[in-house]
Amino acid sequence: MRAVQEILDSGRTTTEEGLALFDSLPPASADFMLGAWAGTGLASDHPMDGLLEAYGWHGKHFESTEDVHPLVFVRSGGRRCRLGPRRLFAGLALNRWPRLARSALMGQVFRLLMPLLQVGRSRARLRLTDYRGKLTATMQYDNLPINDVFARIDEDTVLGVMDLKGMRQPFFFLLRREVS
């Protein structure tokens, strides 16, 4: 496996290498995850590679273990908004029409519809779960079969693994702690 820094610098991995990286890292506690985090995908030839960023994904906000905002996006003008994942994932049409989901037209339509997808209350919670033999912080979506599992890279960076029921491979992403 390549060194952690080499993977981070390249922004790319494979599914096997990403899982091996996760396995090599220490777990993240729930308390460690509290706060605001900026996110970016870690490309691994996954259907979601680059998609969230193309739509203006900013990251995640963990207010408490009971109140987590899993999808924070940036609207035009730089204002952040919290989106409801159920509507977002239903609207992406990723599984049926992946080329359409990635098109510039869909990105424009999404940005226009973003205010309609905005939510006030949290849409996830944070728990410790066992993933690949490691008891670690896991963000559980309220109404979707998705768990985002985290392992610590350093004091301000975590590797996230999105585990979606029925998806053949996990989606990898990085979160970096925002300083307020």
Side-chain angles (χ1 to χ4, degrees):
M1 181 179 75
R2 294 182 298 154
V4 173
Q5 195 57 51
E6 185 181 342
I7 293 170
L8 298 179
D9 289 343
S10 74
R12 288 199 66 65
T13 190
T14 64
T15 298
E16 296 76 21
E17 185 178 60
L19 290 171
L21 174 59
F22 178 87
D23 293 345
S24 74
L25 296 170
S29 70
D31 287 342
F32 177 81
M33 295 302 301
L34 298 180
W37 296 78
T40 185
L42 186 58
S44 63
D45 293 324
H46 189 280
M48 286 184 59
D49 285 353
L51 188 66
L52 292 173
E53 293 90 342
Y55 284 36
W57 180 53
H58 175 78
K60 300 180 181 296
H61 188 202
F62 301 86
E63 291 180 7
S64 70
T65 57
E66 291 301 314
D67 294 305
V68 176
H69 299 278
L71 295 168
V72 178
F73 279 72
V74 177
R75 291 178 60 181
S76 57
R79 234 178 72 225
R80 293 183 193 163
C81 66
R82 298 164 174 174
L83 303 186
R86 181 180 244 175
R87 290 180 185 162
L88 174 67
F89 284 112
L92 286 181
L94 185 62
N95 291 331
R96 290 190 182 172
W97 303 293
R99 294 185 80 187
L100 176 62
R102 293 181 182 287
S103 72
L105 174 64
M106 275 300 287
Q108 292 170 349
V109 169
F110 178 79
R111 289 186 189 276
L112 288 173
L113 295 176
M114 199 180 293
L116 301 174
L117 302 172
Q118 195 165 327
V119 296
R121 68 177 183 85
S122 71
R123 298 292 196 230
R125 61 190 181 153
L126 193 57
R127 295 290 186 266
L128 292 180
T129 65
D130 185 317
Y131 183 74
R132 298 180 59 82
K134 181 183 308 211
L135 188 63
T136 194
T138 302
M139 186 190 74
Q140 300 173 328
Y141 286 76
D142 289 346
N143 297 305
L144 292 171
I146 301 173
N147 290 327
D148 287 348
V149 186
F150 306 105
R152 288 175 48 172
I153 293 174
D154 59 38
E155 287 304 309
D156 295 313
T157 313
V158 296
L159 172 65
V161 180
M162 180 179 145
D163 180 32
L164 169 62
K165 184 176 182 177
M167 189 175 283
R168 291 182 306 154
Q169 71 186 90
F171 173 67
F172 299 98
F173 59 95
L174 299 169
L175 295 178
R176 289 187 173 84
R177 187 182 309 277
E178 295 186 307
V179 180
S180 38

